[in-house]
Amino acid sequence: MSSLNHCIKFELDIKDVNIVFKDYFYKSIKLQKHKIYEAELIQPACPFCGSLDLLHNGHLITNIHYPTANASLPVIIRLAKQRVKCRACDHWSMAQSELVNKYCSISNASKLKVLSALTEDRSMTSIARENNVSINTVQRVLGNCSHRFIDSYEYLPAHLAFDEFKGVDRQLHFICLAGDNHQVVQILRTRYKKTLLKYFGRFSPQARANVKTVTMDLNFYYQDIVRACFPNAQIVIDRFHMIQMLTRSFNSLRVQIMKTFDKRSRQYQLLKSPWKLYLKKFDELEKVHPRYNWHYKDCLTQAQAVTEGINTSTALENSYNLMQSFIQAVETGNTHELKSLINCQDQIGTLMHKTLLTFKHNLTAVLNGAELPYSNGCLEGFNRKIKQIERTAFGYSNFTNLLTRIRLEEDLYKEKEPNSLLMVA
C-alpha cells in the first residue's frame, strides 16, 4: 500500500481494504471549490461462488459525497468500481463497498452524520447545508427511520399520564407517557375515544392489568377509557389542572365584580391594577414594606391591597378564601379538608360553583390527585419540547415526520438492523 493511499484513508477514516486512492486535487463545481479524491474499488472475488478467476470489464465511475469538517470545502470521492465476470460461474458483478450503498452517491458516513444531526433541535435546511447534501436527502434519512420503532403490546408501565398537543394542521394528537421514567409510550394521530380504545385494546390483559394509576386532566372520556381498558388503575386528576380551573373561576368573578364599579373609583383600581397578586398565595405576599401605587394613589403593602380588594364583595371574599384553602389542602394532601371545601355552601361566584360541582362529580379522582405523588408535570414539559420542535421547523405537514423527529430528539429510536437505516435511495 502506497503512502498516499494510506494517508488519505487515515484522513477520511476509511477502512475498506478494497478501496485504493490514487490522487487528489481541487476543482471548482458550480462556482464552489471542491476537494476531489480519485480511488478505485477492487472486486477481489466472485460474490456468487467465491472464485478468484475473474475477467475485468471496465469501471463504473461514481461521484460520492463524503462528510468533511469544513462545510465550505465539500469532499467528493470519484470512485471507479470494477466490473468483472466470473470465469467459473459466468456471473457478472460489480464491486461494492460499505462506503456507499448500491445505486447511491451519498456515502453512509454522510447519512449517519445527518441522522446524528436530526437528534438535535435544528432545521433540515441547516443540516443539509452543513453536510453538503440536499434537503430531500435529509428528508429521506428521516423518512427511513419512520418504520423502525418497536412497539410491544406485551407491557405497559404501572403509572401512565394522558394528554394531548397541537400538531399537524393544528389538530390535537394524543400522547401517553410513563409516570416513572417519563418515556413516551405512544403518540397517536388523533385523540378520539374510538382510536384510544382500539390502541389500548391491542395490549394483552396482563399488560393492562399492570397499570396502577393514570394521571390526566378533567377530560371526561379519558376516564371512560381507563375504566374500560385498565381494571386495576386508579384515576388521578392532575393537581395543576385543578388549581388552574379554580383560579380561572376566581379571576372571572373578580373581573365581573370590578366592572360594577366606576373606572375612576378606588375599588375598580384595587381590583384591576394588582390582578396578579390575587392569584398568588397569601403567605407569599409582602406584608411589611408598603409601596406607593399611582393607580389607586395610596401606599399599601401587597397584602393590604388584596385584602381591601376582596372586601368590596362578600362573594369575592368567600371565593378568595376558598381558593387559598383549596391550594393549601392540595399541597399538603389534606383530603378531609378538600372534601369540606368541595361541599362548601358559602356565597361564591357562579363559575366557581360550577368548578366545585365538577370536582364533586369526580371526587375520587380529585382526592387521588391530592393524595398520590403522580402528576402530569412530566407531560407538560414534554409538550413544551414538542412545541419547540415544531417552531424550529416552522410547523409540520406530515404527522409521520413529526413523530419520527420527536422520537429521534428524545433518544427513543430503536434500530432493528444496524445497517438498515442507511438503505436510502
Side-chain angles (χ1 to χ4, degrees), residues 34-287:
H34 287 64
K35 183 184 288 187
I36 310 295
Y37 292 94
E38 288 188 342
E40 182 183 13
L41 178 58
I42 301 173
Q43 179 74 296
C46 177
F48 299 97
C49 64
S51 174
L52 301 179
D53 190 7
L54 303 177
L55 176 63
H56 296 278
N57 185 27
H59 299 82
L60 175 65
I61 299 177
T62 306
N63 293 323
I64 300 171
H65 295 266
Y66 198 79
T68 176
N70 185 5
S72 63
L73 187 63
V75 171
I76 292 179
I77 300 177
R78 188 166 292 172
L79 189 64
K81 302 178 182 179
Q82 282 188 353
R83 285 194 295 255
V84 298
K85 179 182 179 182
C86 179
R87 289 189 174 96
C89 62
D90 289 335
H91 277 98
W92 290 89
S93 63
M94 185 176 296
Q96 300 297 329
S97 171
E98 294 181 355
L99 176 68
V100 63
N101 295 328
K102 193 175 182 180
Y103 310 122
C104 189
S105 61
I106 307 297
S107 65
N108 292 335
S110 296
K111 296 175 186 176
L112 285 174
K113 191 175 179 181
V114 169
L115 181 61
S116 177
L118 286 171
T119 61
E120 304 171 359
D121 186 23
R122 297 174 56 190
S123 65
M124 292 188 182
T125 303
S126 66
I127 295 174
R129 187 184 301 114
E130 179 184 334
N131 294 277
N132 296 303
V133 296
S134 65
I135 299 177
N136 290 335
T137 299
V138 180
Q139 290 176 340
R140 283 195 294 269
V141 173
L142 179 66
N144 193 63
C145 305
S146 60
H147 62 283
R148 301 295 175 182
F149 305 123
I150 302 175
D151 291 328
S152 174
Y153 294 101
E154 298 298 327
Y155 171 76
L156 276 172
H159 307 284
L160 297 176
F162 288 0
D163 204 357
E164 60 275 337
F165 67 94
K166 284 186 180 179
V168 178
D169 296 331
R170 300 189 64 81
Q171 294 182 358
L172 290 174
H173 307 308
F174 174 78
I175 181 171
C176 176
L177 255 66
D180 293 330
N181 54 17
H182 303 168
Q183 289 188 351
V184 177
V185 176
Q186 187 56 274
I187 300 176
L188 300 178
R189 186 183 296 269
T190 63
R191 61 166 186 165
Y192 300 142
K193 184 176 180 180
K194 180 180 178 181
T195 304
L196 302 184
L197 288 174
K198 181 179 179 181
Y199 170 72
F200 288 110
R202 296 174 182 173
F203 287 88
S204 62
Q206 294 80 9
R208 288 186 277 116
N210 183 55
V211 179
K212 304 301 180 186
T213 63
V214 180
T215 311
M216 64 185 72
D217 54 17
L218 286 158
N219 193 320
F220 69 96
Y221 66 80
Y222 280 174
Q223 300 186 29
D224 297 337
I225 294 170
V226 173
R227 296 187 186 101
C229 298
F230 309 115
N232 300 327
Q234 288 182 300
I235 300 174
V236 180
I237 302 299
D238 182 50
R239 295 181 289 275
F240 167 78
H241 289 89
M242 290 191 292
I243 296 176
Q244 185 186 55
M245 284 187 64
L246 210 60
T247 53
R248 284 179 176 175
S249 302
F250 171 80
N251 208 33
S252 176
L253 178 63
R254 178 190 60 81
V255 173
Q256 181 182 351
I257 294 175
M258 178 190 70
K259 291 182 178 179
T260 61
F261 297 101
D262 183 77
K263 291 186 177 181
R264 292 170 294 182
S265 64
R266 178 183 176 90
Q267 293 87 346
Y268 184 92
Q269 296 298 333
L270 282 170
L271 291 174
K272 180 178 176 63
S273 174
W275 65 271
K276 291 184 179 179
L277 300 180
Y278 292 95
L279 304 180
K280 294 179 65 175
K281 297 180 187 176
F282 188 79
D283 296 338
E284 297 178 357
L285 297 178
E286 175 61 50
K287 302 179 180 63

Side-chain angles (χ1 to χ4, degrees), residues 309-324:
I310 63 176
N311 287 337
T312 57
S313 170
T314 304
L316 185 64
E317 182 179 4
N318 293 337
S319 299
Y320 182 80
N321 294 332
L322 174 65
M323 180 183 67
Q324 293 292 328

Side-chain angles (χ1 to χ4, degrees), residues 120-126 385-396 405 409:
E120 304 171 359
D121 186 23
R122 297 174 56 190
S123 65
M124 292 188 182
T125 303
S126 66
K385 295 179 181 178
I386 294 176
K387 289 180 182 179
Q388 182 59 42
I389 293 173
E390 294 178 319
R391 189 178 296 112
T392 302
F394 297 95
Y396 281 82
R405 196 67 189 272
E409 293 200 21

